């Protein structure tokens, strides 16, 4: 008798302790748009600096209020003048299809900064209906129901 194993279980799940270590390690390196928004919206010092690693043209098109603009290419020469090594840094770029935030995070880590990458980037910030700034002022779009609950304060994650 042949037993068919479905594609999900063809490779068995990790033991619970291994899975916990894996997911804990992921959270050490990543945060998400909702958590960053909650921390920034709580008032006071969020305990980190948010860094937009995109170009000036991208920054002008829109950026997260309170973010520091530090394009990845300028991290080696400007980070020491703009950032305090004792304060964690959260990087973001365009979105999930872009690895610019990861490259900026790598450059900062190599300079001795504690750093996380914000998953989703600017794209998901806007798609979740959060306010952003342009040279014309603040804007906000309606939440995309595929990325954020329309009638709730958060996703409940």
């Amino acid at each position: 008798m042949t037993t068919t194993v479905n594609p999900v279980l063809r490779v068995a799940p990790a033991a619970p302790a291994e899975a916990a270590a894996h997911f804990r390690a992921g959270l050490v390196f990543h945060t998400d748009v909702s958590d960053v928004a909650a921390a920034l919206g709580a008032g006071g010092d969020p305990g980190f600096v948010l860094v937009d690693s995109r170009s000036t043209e991208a920054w002008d098109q829109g950026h997260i209020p309170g973010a520091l603009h530090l394009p990845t290419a300028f991290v080696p020469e400007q980070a020491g003048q703009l950032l305090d090594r004792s304060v964690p840094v959260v990087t973001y770029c365009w979105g999930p299809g872009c690895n610019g935030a990861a490259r900026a995070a790598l450059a900062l880590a190599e300079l001795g900064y504690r750093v996380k990458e914000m998953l989703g980037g600017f794209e998901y910030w806007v798609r979740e209906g959060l306010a952003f700034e342009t040279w014309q002022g603040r804007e906000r779009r309606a939440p995309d129901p595929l990325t954020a609950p329309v009638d709730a304060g958060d996703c409940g994650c």
Side-chain angles (χ1 to χ4, degrees):
M1 179 178 221
T2 305
T3 303
T4 304
V5 177
N6 70 49
V8 172
L9 299 175
R10 190 171 295 138
V11 174
E18 287 179 277
H22 169 80
F23 293 115
R24 184 174 295 107
L27 293 172
V28 167
F29 301 111
H30 299 110
T31 187
D32 67 16
V33 165
S34 295
D35 289 345
V36 170
L40 294 176
D45 181 2
F48 62 87
V49 174
L50 184 61
V51 170
D52 184 318
S53 64
R54 300 172 302 147
S55 69
T56 298
E57 294 79 12
W59 170 267
D60 289 345
Q61 188 173 323
H63 56 272
I64 297 171
L68 173 73
H69 186 221
L70 179 56
T72 303
F74 299 118
V75 167
E77 61 195 48
Q78 294 181 3
Q81 301 157 14
L82 299 173
L83 300 169
D84 179 344
R85 278 190 177 78
S86 69
V87 178
V89 177
V90 174
T91 61
Y92 75 90
C93 199
W94 274 112
C98 173
N99 66 2
R103 286 194 314 269
L106 172 60
L108 288 162
E110 288 176 337
L111 292 172
Y113 293 90
R114 293 176 298 145
V115 63
K116 287 188 174 199
E117 176 186 5
M118 183 180 81
L119 299 176
F122 183 69
E123 175 189 350
Y124 276 73
W125 186 272
V126 174
R127 289 180 74 183
E128 289 192 16
L130 298 165
F132 61 96
E133 294 178 333
T134 69
W135 60 271
Q136 297 173 319
R138 282 201 180 204
E139 295 183 34
R140 174 175 265 153
R141 297 185 183 161
D144 179 340
L146 296 177
T147 64
V150 176
D151 296 324
D154 63 41
C155 66
C157 299

